[in-house]
């Protein structure tokens, strides 16, 4: 590709005009989010982008080239901040696409030869389209990162291991159990067993909406791993429907102690650890 | 040659695996331990694997086998101190060591062994009486 010094020159010479038009068109656009971004900030971003663009356009290369790295870095920066601010992808992309009009105006008014005019306009529109797509992609990536992070946080939050009593741990499970979650659940449980020296772990599945063969297998794995660490497991919170499903599926839970409610499981756990709970007479207030 | 020490503590034998086991070492341990159980008339065996960080299916099976062999020789066996990562690996490998007693640490293991042996003594007593 030949160098596009002329194009760069043109943009540089008309820098102020282009910037003014561009910012104006952005300010007039329906996608402007005045509540999210100040006008001065927009102006600053536009100015910086335009100067980086002018430098890179000189190379005459496509945006895959190293010459465009500063532009891309800058776009990465502003896209990230816009994602955090809550911009939509099209609002972010408009930042690039709205530059077309002012650039075309300048090219049209400067170049007289139709051939040259078409060539330059075509080159500019290709570049800006690619940059726009790049911004879209970045936007998407940033969004996905946010979702991924939230997933991880949810995973961490949704598997608490609580100590009920000396030597007794409880693991209230809420939500569907898949392989990834089972792994986290298992690791958390085993770690807590080591930390607390617990002998009994109660796995409460009241909050697990469905138990299929896979979930049952995951549960049994967790129980087996806990047993290898020297802790007995009790599975509690089995709802009537789930009991029916388990039997219909032919899942064998005979190796594990199962209880209908967490309270029952807690009582049996106390018994096994040699502790007991007694009711004391409530002292009546003297009349 | 490298060997895993077997210590006698009263009625029990204490095996502490302080290095990562390789296949040959596990075989040697199997020989040594069965020999010592017979020689010392041990009633209980405590296998401490708290320093064991890496297990494969062979070592996992060996641990299970050694425990089963000790039981055949009439010694109660408890495997203690398994690390969480090791436990997860064994379960994923499908080796959940059924029939092997486990405890969290040596303390709890000794307690469990004592309980087992007492229970057995009373049961035998009833049969005899």
């Amino acid at each position: 590709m030949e160098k596009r010094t002329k194009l760069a020159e043109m943009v540089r010479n008309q820098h102020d005009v282009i910037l003014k038009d561009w910012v104006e068109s952005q300010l007039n656009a329906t996608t402007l989010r005045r509540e999210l971004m100040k006008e001065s900030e927009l102006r600053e971003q536009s100015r910086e982008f335009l100067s980086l663009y002018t430098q890179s356009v000189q190379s005459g290369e496509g945006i895959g080239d190293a010459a465009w790295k500063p532009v891309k870095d800058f776009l990465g920066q502003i896209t990230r901040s816009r994602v955090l601010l809550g911009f939509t992808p099209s609002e972010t992309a408009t930042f690039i696409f709205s530059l077309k009009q002012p650039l075309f105006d300048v090219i049209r008014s400067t170049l007289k030869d139709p051939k040259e005019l078409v060539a330059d306009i075509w080159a500019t529109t290709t570049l800006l389209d690619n940059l726009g797509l790049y911004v879209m992609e970045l936007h998407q990536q940033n969004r996905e990162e946010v979702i991924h992070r939230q997933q991880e946080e949810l995973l961490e939050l949704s598997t608490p291991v609580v100590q009920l009593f000396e030597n007794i741990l409880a693991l209230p499970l809420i939500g569907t159990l898949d392989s990834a979650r089972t792994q986290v659940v298992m690791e958390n449980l085993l770690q807590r067993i080591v930390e607390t020296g617990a002998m009994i772990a109660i796995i409460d599945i009241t909050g697990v909406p469905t138990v299929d063969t896979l979930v049952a297998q995951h549960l049994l794995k967790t129980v087996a791993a806990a047993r290898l660490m020297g802790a007995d497991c009790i599975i509690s919170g089995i709802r009537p429907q789930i009991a029916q499903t388990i039997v219909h599926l032919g899942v064998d839970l005979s190796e594990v102690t199962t209880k209908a409610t967490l309270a029952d499981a807690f009582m049996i756990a106390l018994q096994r650890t040699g502790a007991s709970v007694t009711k004391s007479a409530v002292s009546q207030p003297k009349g | 040659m490298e060997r895993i020490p077997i210590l006698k503590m009263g009625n029990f034998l204490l095996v502490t695996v302080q290095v990562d086991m390789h296949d040959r070492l596990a075989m040697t341990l199997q020989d040594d331990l069965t020999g010592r159980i017979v020689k010392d008339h041990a009633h209980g065996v405590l296998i401490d694997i708290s320093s064991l960080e890496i297990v494969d299916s062979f070592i996992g099976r060996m641990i299970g086998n050694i425990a089963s062999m000790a039981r055949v020789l009439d010694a109660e066996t408890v495997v203690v101190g398994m690390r969480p990562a090791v436990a997860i690996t064994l379960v994923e490998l499908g080796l959940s060591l059924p029939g092997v007693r486990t405890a969290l640490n040596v303390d709890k293991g000794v307690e469990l062994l004592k309980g087992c042996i007492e229970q057995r003594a009373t049961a035998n007593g009833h049969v005899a009486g």
Side-chain angles (χ1 to χ4, degrees):
Chain A
M1 230 182 194
E2 83 267 39
K3 293 258 175 192
R4 298 211 171 264
T5 28
K6 207 166 169 195
L7 194 56
E9 192 107 325
M10 222 161 16
V11 179
R12 195 171 302 130
N13 288 341
Q14 305 276 341
H15 184 276
D16 292 343
V17 181
I18 295 174
L19 186 61
K20 191 174 141 285
D21 285 357
W22 185 26
V23 171
E24 220 158 77
S25 84
Q26 286 188 77
L27 289 177
N28 292 330
T30 49
T31 50
L32 180 74
R33 300 286 291 268
R34 277 184 199 280
E35 73 277 19
L36 295 182
M37 193 178 227
K38 272 184 277 185
E39 196 184 316
S40 59
E41 202 177 344
L42 181 70
R43 207 174 284 276
E44 179 57 29
Q45 282 183 354
S46 304
R47 196 190 53 72
E48 191 162 352
F49 176 79
L50 194 60
S51 69
L52 287 169
Y53 174 83
T54 317
Q55 279 165 25
S56 301
V57 79
Q58 217 163 354
S59 71
E61 302 283 348
I63 68 156
D65 193 75
W68 286 90
K69 196 171 175 304
V71 175
K72 281 163 131 182
D73 286 349
F74 179 67
L75 282 179
Q77 207 179 311
I78 65 169
T79 309
R80 201 166 310 126
S81 75
R82 285 181 182 217
V83 169
L84 291 178
L85 287 172
F87 277 67
T88 67
S90 49
E91 281 160 5
T92 315
T94 308
F95 175 71
I96 301 293
F97 291 136
S98 58
L99 178 58
K100 273 188 183 181
Q101 189 67 44
L103 273 183
F104 289 175
D105 285 346
V106 167
I107 296 171
R108 203 161 39 211
S109 62
T110 323
L111 295 173
K112 292 297 167 234
D113 180 21
K115 254 189 181 169
E116 254 185 312
L117 180 67
V118 171
D120 274 359
I121 286 201
W122 178 246
T124 310
T125 194
T126 316
L127 276 176
L128 285 179
D129 283 350
N130 284 339
L131 285 174
L133 287 175
Y134 178 70
V135 166
M136 287 287 237
E137 254 171 51
L138 276 181
H139 200 280
Q140 192 107 1
Q141 254 176 34
N142 275 302
R143 279 284 181 80
E144 272 162 22
E145 268 170 34
V146 171
I147 293 173
H148 188 66
R149 204 177 52 236
Q150 283 173 345
Q151 251 173 356
E152 276 180 1
E153 276 168 12
L154 200 65
L155 212 59
E156 283 294 316
L157 280 177
S158 62
T159 54
V161 183
V162 288
Q163 182 155 26
L164 287 185
F165 200 70
E166 207 183 324
N167 287 332
I168 303 175
L169 290 180
L171 179 66
L173 289 177
I174 292 168
T176 321
L177 271 185
D178 56 10
S179 314
R181 255 195 92 193
T182 316
Q183 192 74 20
V184 176
V185 167
M186 215 194 273
E187 277 169 20
N188 279 353
L189 177 64
L190 298 191
Q191 199 52 48
R192 288 285 288 168
I193 288 175
V194 173
E195 282 166 16
T196 58
M199 281 157 61
I200 293 189
I202 302 172
I203 302 178
D204 186 77
I205 57 167
T206 312
V208 180
T210 51
V211 175
D212 55 12
T213 42
L214 203 65
V215 172
Q217 200 197 342
H218 287 320
L219 278 177
L220 289 175
K221 261 189 193 172
T222 311
V223 172
R227 199 189 65 85
L228 283 178
M229 305 268 309
D232 275 333
C233 280
I234 302 172
I235 296 181
S236 75
I238 301 175
R239 280 173 285 134
Q241 296 92 329
I242 288 189
Q244 290 174 25
T245 325
I246 287 176
V247 173
H248 282 310
L249 288 172
V251 175
D252 185 17
L253 286 179
S254 57
E255 303 266 299
V256 194
T257 317
T258 49
K259 290 281 166 206
T261 63
L262 184 61
D264 290 344
F266 185 52
M267 289 315 290
I268 198 95
L270 283 176
Q271 227 173 59
R272 285 196 198 165
T273 51
S276 63
V277 180
T278 51
K279 274 185 190 159
S280 62
V282 181
S283 57
Q284 296 287 327
K286 281 174 190 166
Chain B
M1 204 182 98
E2 208 180 356
R3 268 170 197 281
I4 290 172
I6 300 172
L7 313 171
K8 188 168 168 6
M9 277 174 54
N11 270 344
F12 309 143
L13 290 180
L14 179 63
V15 182
T16 50
V17 181
Q18 299 287 357
V19 289
D20 270 321
M21 281 228 259
H22 48 78
D23 299 4
R24 177 74 61 82
L25 197 60
M27 299 294 284
T28 320
L29 176 64
Q30 180 184 316
D31 284 343
D32 288 356
L33 185 63
T34 44
R36 282 290 296 272
I37 292 172
V38 173
K39 201 181 118 216
D40 292 341
H41 306 289
H43 292 305
V45 178
L46 208 73
I47 305 176
D48 174 30
I49 55 168
S50 54
S51 308
L52 194 67
E53 280 183 47
I54 301 165
V55 281
D56 56 10
S57 53
F58 181 78
I59 297 299
R61 201 156 52 83
M62 286 304 285
I63 293 171
N65 282 357
I66 290 172
S68 307
M69 286 168 194
R71 232 190 8 254
V72 171
L73 292 169
D74 200 27
E76 293 289 340
T77 308
V78 181
V79 174
V80 301
M82 191 180 292
R83 288 175 180 239
V86 171
I88 292 174
T89 311
L90 285 183
V91 171
E92 294 293 341
L93 288 171
L95 295 163
S96 45
L97 309 184
V100 178
R101 285 177 210 275
T102 49
L104 188 65
N105 48 38
V106 177
D107 251 4
K108 290 193 168 151
V110 170
E111 222 168 90
L112 183 63
L113 261 186
K114 278 187 179 151
C116 287
I117 288 170
E118 247 168 53
Q119 213 174 18
R120 209 165 57 164
T122 48
N124 286 346
H126 281 302
V127 171

